[in-house]
Amino acid sequence: MTQIVHATNKIAVLGTGIMGAAIACNLQKNGFNVSAWNRTYEKAKNLEEFGVTVHEYVQDAVSNADIILTMLKDGDSVLKVINSALPSLSKGTIWIQSSTVGITANEQLETFAAENGLKYFDAPVQGTKGPAEQGKLIIIASGPLSDRNTVQSIFDAIGQRTVWVSEQSGMSSKLKLALNSWAFALTHGIAESLSIAKALGVDPSLVIDVVKGGPMDNMYFQLKSTAIISGNYDASFSLDNAVKDSELVIDASKRAGVKVDGVEAGLERFKRAQQAGHGSKDMVATYFAK
Ligand SMILES: NC(=O)c1ccc[n+]([C@@H]2O[C@H](COP(=O)([O-])OP(=O)(O)OC[C@H]3O[C@@H](n4cnc5c(N)ncnc54)[C@H](OP(=O)(O)O)[C@@H]3O)[C@@H](O)[C@H]2O)c1
């Protein structure tokens, strides 16, 4: 197989959690020269077997990188990490910011980029662990027209599709909040439906049987309901991050004058499951909310 060589190919991935690790591997597999950094160095070490160069210090990871991609928990962690990286970043470096940070933090990060001569792309992603590993994410991208070809080659390596939302940063972060509201509604709906069946003494797997192939069926329903029935709560999207993102949705919606009763009730469910010790599990552990 001929290895693709990209014109701009040195990329630093900062944050190698569930999503960042998969993204780093796919970039390396697709001909990019990837260096990675993670707060907990040991967790990133296994990426070396996929050819990724793992650094203990963020400044080492970004020095010589043409492009950096942040995939961290939230706005605060991204700001902290980018600040630490700054002394080793060259002016004109492209910064793809893919963590879900919400509107206010995105504005702060965009301002930071402008003040420090970085070319900023607001590019959260749709899709969870499986699609990330398969290079099938959907990239929700906003940023300047210049450099789009360069960043598109990165998006093509990690995703099945890019939706270009706007030249204006922030629009993607806004769209991501609307999408998360739908993901949370589905997740709670599935968990509650199976809980009700169980509490009423009906086999919960009959819910799956009845829905199968009908208009309420979808791949997400199948995946998450099967996870609950089989007791597999390995995180694709952690419940802790679902709490964070529910709060971002509620905050943005309030400011925009939209009542989001479903997301607010869902946040309470997530929090109850979190307090019961299920925060690091998949968000479908909302099933355990008592
Ligand atoms: N998983 C999904 O399905 C999914 C889908 C779309 C978007 N997202 C979003 O993508 C981002 C990453 O998600 P993920 O699932 O990969 O999360 P994750 O597995 O929880 O990873 C979080 C990453 O952030 C790092 N981090 C956390 N707090 C930090 C801090 N204070 N300083 C520096 N680094 C810090 C973690 O480092 P350590 O390893 O040291 O803890 C880890 O690298 C989140 O914004 C999430 O909302 C996730």
Side-chain angles (χ1 to χ4, degrees):
M1 200 176 77
T2 320
Q3 182 77 355
I4 306 161
V5 178
H6 300 277
T8 310
N9 81 340
K10 290 187 195 131
I11 175 159
V13 176
L14 309 182
T16 62
I18 292 171
M19 301 297 279
I23 286 170
C25 287
N26 278 323
L27 288 169
Q28 185 70 36
K29 201 163 73 185
N30 281 284
F32 290 92
N33 183 351
V34 183
S35 56
W37 171 88
N38 196 51
R39 175 180 63 174
T40 312
Y41 174 63
E42 299 72 36
K43 287 200 214 164
K45 277 300 276 177
N46 69 331
L47 295 178
E48 286 181 343
E49 63 187 81
F50 301 96
V52 173
T53 308
V54 180
H55 293 274
E56 193 165 0
Y57 301 102
V58 68
Q59 291 187 15
D60 294 338
V62 302
S63 68
N64 300 320
D66 307 306
I67 302 168
I68 56 168
L69 185 151
T70 43
M71 198 42 155
L72 296 149
K73 184 181 174 81
D74 55 13
D76 286 349
S77 55
V78 176
L79 195 55
K80 201 171 108 198
V81 169
I82 197 74
N83 251 310
S84 309
L86 190 61
S88 297
L89 284 172
S90 312
K91 289 224 180 320
T93 301
I94 293 171
W95 175 13
I96 299 170
Q97 202 312 96
S98 291
S99 332
T100 305
V101 298
I103 299 169
T104 308
N106 181 70
E107 284 167 4
Q108 286 172 341
L109 299 173
E110 186 190 1
T111 302
F112 181 97
E115 286 172 357
N116 293 289
L118 305 172
K119 297 174 182 170
Y120 186 74
F121 284 82
D122 168 28
V125 299
Q126 183 69 18
T128 189
K129 186 180 180 198
E133 288 173 347
Q134 294 151 19
K136 290 194 171 161
L137 293 169
I138 296 165
I139 321 302
I140 308 162
S142 291
L145 287 174
S146 60
D147 299 301
R148 273 201 188 177
N149 286 345
T150 306
V151 296
Q152 187 65 59
S153 65
I154 287 151
F155 297 157
D156 290 345
I158 64 173
Q160 56 172 303
R161 196 153 63 88
T162 301
V163 176
W164 281 102
V165 182
S166 173
E167 282 179 58
Q168 198 189 332
S169 153
M171 296 308 278
S172 291
S173 281
K174 289 177 181 174
L175 178 56
K176 177 66 186 163
L177 297 179
L179 290 160
N180 269 358
S181 144
W182 174 225
F184 297 150
L186 283 170
T187 308
H188 294 302
I190 294 162
E192 285 189 350
S193 177
L194 297 190
S195 298
I196 293 165
K198 189 175 175 209
L200 297 180
V202 181
D203 179 356
S205 62
L206 290 172
V207 173
I208 306 179
D209 263 4
V210 174
V211 168
K212 196 173 178 183
M216 293 197 303
D217 199 6
N218 59 60
M219 208 190 291
Y220 191 84
F221 169 81
Q222 289 296 334
L223 276 173
K224 295 303 182 188
S225 57
T226 306
I228 292 175
I229 298 288
S230 64
N232 178 1
Y233 294 95
D234 292 348
S236 286
F237 183 104
S238 75
L239 193 139
D240 283 339
N241 281 342
V243 168
K244 178 237 347 162
D245 285 357
S246 300
E247 285 170 342
L248 290 176
V249 174
I250 291 165
D251 180 54
S253 305
K254 272 193 183 147
R255 286 165 194 254
V258 180
K259 277 187 78 63
V260 283
D261 305 303
V263 188
E264 285 186 5
L267 174 61
E268 293 312 310
R269 278 193 74 89
F270 280 141
K271 281 187 171 168
R272 293 201 304 278
Q274 190 182 46
Q275 277 151 18
H278 302 291
S280 63
K281 294 179 183 162
D282 190 80
M283 67 170 160
V284 82
T286 176
Y287 180 67
F288 295 116
K290 295 276 182 264

